[in-house]
Amino acid sequence: MEPVLDLRGITKRFPGVLANDHISIDLMQGEIHALLGENGAGKTTLMNILYGLYKPDEGDIFVKGQKLTIDTPNDAIKAGVGMVHQHFMLIPVFTVTENIMLGDEYLKPGGFLDRKKAAARIREISQQYNLQVEPDAYVKDLPVGIQQRVEIIKLLFRNADILILDEPTAVLTPQEVDELFNIMKKLVEQGKSIILITHKLREVMEFADRTTVIRGGKVIGTAKQSETNQFELAAMMVGRQIELNIDKKTAETKDVVLDVKNLKVLDTHHQVAVANVSFEVRAGEVLGIAGVQGNGQTELVRALTGLTHPVEGKIHLLERDITHAPVKQITELGTAHIPEDRQKDGLVMTYSIEDNLILNTWYKAPFTRNVILQRKVILDNAQQLVSNFDIRTPSALTATSHLSGGNQQKVIVAREFSRPIKLLVASQPTRGLDVGSIEYIHRRIIEKRDDGCAVLLVSTELDEIMQLSDRVAVMYRGQILAIVDPKTTSREEIGLLMAGVVPEAH
Amino acid sequence: MTKTEATQQPKDAFSIFLDELRRNSLTVTILAIVTGLLAGGLIAAVTTEGVYAAFRVSFFGGLKAGLMVFWDTYRALFTGSVGVPADIFNALRSGDGAAINKAFTPFFESLLQATPYIFAGLAVALGFRVGLFNIGAEGQIFVGALGTVWVATSLKGLPTIIHVPLALLGGAITGGIWGMIPGWLKAKTGAHEVINTIMMNYIAFRLSEYLLNGILRDPHKSTPISAPIEKSAWLPRFFDDPNRFHAGFFIALLMAFLVYWLLFKTSWGFELRTVGLNPNAARYAGMNIVRSTVITMFLSGALAGMAGANEVLGVNHNLAVAFSSGYGFDSIALALLGNSHPLGVVLAALLFGFLRNGAIQMQLTAGIPIDIISVLQALILAFIAAPAIIRTMYHLKEPKVTEPTLVAAKPEGK
Ligand SMILES: Nc1ncnc2c1ncn2[C@@H]1O[C@H](COP(=O)(O)OP(=O)(O)OP(=O)(O)O)[C@@H](O)[C@H]1O
Ligand SMILES: [Mg+2]
């Protein structure tokens, strides 16, 4: 059978980076083909080339046997290729219909938009693939999972039959992930073909037909799912054996570092997001906060780090009342914060890596002396961290927006881990990272713990919580339902708690 | 990344426009200026009655007449803003000081015209860098001029070395306060500075009329105008009449350097730029957005106030109503043209200064209405603000495709 898509010898150079080095990949009709590779391996770049956002320096693209030059996304769409980006491209204040029509408008005589007709088509597509998207809803009111489906409909609306999904599951709740994969199955059943980029080996093993591993811009190999396993793929990806489970000593807990009492926090819509939450974190332990996204974790972390202030309750850090303290004071007391939304809160995307690495210590010696920025020190610091934390970039002066998603995350981790801290608040610290980097960051978190740092780990990945935490607090609807010991509690029990089911015995 | 790209940063339309503008390359800016200049000449030709008359006689005659207007326009613009090459040459050869001074006067007059543009352009650019839209430079110029005139007329018997700085400071502080009020309102109540700076403009205009009809008015004059300022407060001039070039130009350059230094070399500037580029990240990093907003609006107002002070102390030596003739509004355009970078602002201000000065000459010798220059400036800006037009016209690719790192990978401000 002839492949619907055949990329041959694609090469792309950026200044100082060979992002794609003669990559060849094919895609069969009705296939889910996974692309696996480290952060910065060149996956997104390859797909951007296929989608007409970048021009390849070398190589050919064949769609259904025909050689094509794809210069713009429009060319790609004409060829039936559609892409859902790592970061969505929707306009929040537009309705679903308006977003989908944008660039491909249905017109009534006289040049007016025919929203009705478009909405009808969207309903039809939505039904065909069981997407359950309401055309008249405003995008800003939709959960991330649904926004993603809007992106998918956008492609189907334009009759794409080759779909590229770039890390679609990174921002989804486990339930949304299941739903997405059901949708993907429906899509391939009806003859669509999908290229799926992900870092999650489990998803690859469960849902892909074939997997191609890319490392350093080169294809390392392509494997059928039936003929490989997670460990082999992981090893191919990073070029060494990966320890998927890290072993750690039992925690030696010391004094209380963070003490939270009866905390009540409102969200931006003035609704109660955190209700009567109390817990403490001691030096030398990891307290994991498990829970499905949107159960108050975001607001809890914002309150602890001073980005918002609670309406009730008290927060003490090292016996100091920080309930209403400004961010700067909390940072100076020794708090590090890996924020949940890296591009919104954690980075200035147009800044160089160098500048992002001093984002919350910019005013301090040695980076600033007598209000003058010490450029040499700042650069040295950056070069050191780039190599220590294995940030893949041509230079420390590169704009952060030019880094791959995972490497952006490493910039934040490097910054927060590189100063002496007493409390680490880590929110989704490994979101979007490859297995090698996850292993690395997990090790560093445990190292911090063993150094006597108190760690509050917020993650929607149950695996991560179970692996790292010494105690697990489960959050549900703004409350902590229980604090359990992960060694004596099963995944299933915690899973039930996350769904709000409290066991009878308690 | 729990939200879509666009919701991540609560940006208003202005910020998005600025971001887009910043993606413009130098090529776009230069092509916009060239295209604007050419289009200006075309408009001059098209609006000249004589050209039509010539076309009625013969096609080639018409074409020739059109080209002549084109040529005359630019020649007048050049000689008006730079000088007559032959005069300069002869004067230099004769070695006669007065003749040399006279021959170079148009050139220095252009620098003189550029000076208030530099101050006011810096004011707006500084605001832009911090994500603030100071549309109130015009009002701040007026208020600054009032402060300056008060210091320059009421203090007597001071030496120049003290009186000039004091008078400049008077303008800077009053202009700064005028800018700080909308900044404070924004920080405390969220009221958008665009609205409030515009409102403050109206108050400033009426306030200056009121004061110039009241306590600041020169009782010996029939029109509302202030008393002449003390000689000791004059910004020193370097040449004899008619060359009015004065020290204000160098003060403006110094301010440009200071703004550059503040923004790109100091920890304060790092904070300000971060607030401008991503307020959420600034908050996360423990930066003080309220303080940044208020301070920036003060500094911005102070720079605009210095433009007013410069005109009073260097050129007019008194203050009349409606003296500014739109420097504050042009400066918004100018800051955009200069990509909100102090060096860019200086270059853009020089361009505007030369155009404005040349236009006067153009009107005198070529009979081309001075308004052509306004049209021309507007065209240049339209081309800058709509780079898509320029990109399409010259078949430039989207910058992100052609040079992904080269531009942005350089650290800011180097
Ligand atoms: N516009 C650009 N300019 C310069 N370098 C770039 C640009 N885009 C990507 N790169 C570089 O190309 C390499 C590949 O990046 P790419 O985004 O394709 O990685 P990725 O495999 O998608 O990684 P991740 O899993 O972290 O998203 C990286 O080293 C990155 O820094
Ligand atoms: Mg990527």
Side-chain angles (χ1 to χ4, degrees), chain A residues 15 87 144 147 337 371 373 397 402, chain B residues 1-2 4 265 284 404-405 409:
Chain A
H87 308 123
V144 189
Q147 291 189 12
H337 175 199
V371 313
L373 291 173
L397 298 178
H402 290 211
Chain B
M1 278 179 302
T2 50
T4 57
K265 299 290 171 192
Y284 158 87
T405 41

Side-chain angles (χ1 to χ4, degrees), chain A residues 1-8 10 24-31 33 35 46-47 49-51 60-68 70 76 79-82 161-164 193-196 210:
Chain A
M1 199 168 82
E2 188 184 50
V4 282
L5 174 72
D6 196 0
L7 301 177
R8 293 194 199 152
I10 303 285
S24 299
I25 286 183
D26 57 37
L27 177 69
M28 295 298 170
Q29 166 149 35
E31 177 186 42
H33 191 143
L35 266 189
L46 182 67
M47 292 304 113
I49 288 173
L50 174 56
Y51 192 55
D60 298 315
I61 300 173
F62 293 83
V63 177
K64 290 165 205 140
Q66 272 194 320
K67 186 174 157 183
L68 294 179
I70 297 181
V81 177
D161 35 39
I162 298 170
L163 308 181
I164 307 166
S193 318
I194 296 177
I195 297 184
L196 167 72
R210 280 191 301 160

Side-chain angles (χ1 to χ4, degrees), chain A residues 400-426:
Chain A
T400 312
S401 57
H402 290 211
L403 295 184
S404 75
N407 281 299
Q408 290 170 7
Q409 182 74 355
K410 287 196 208 165
V411 172
I412 296 180
V413 172
R415 176 180 71 214
E416 299 304 302
F417 277 38
S418 60
R419 67 195 135 96
I421 50 168
K422 306 238 168 49
L423 171 68
L424 168 65
V425 180

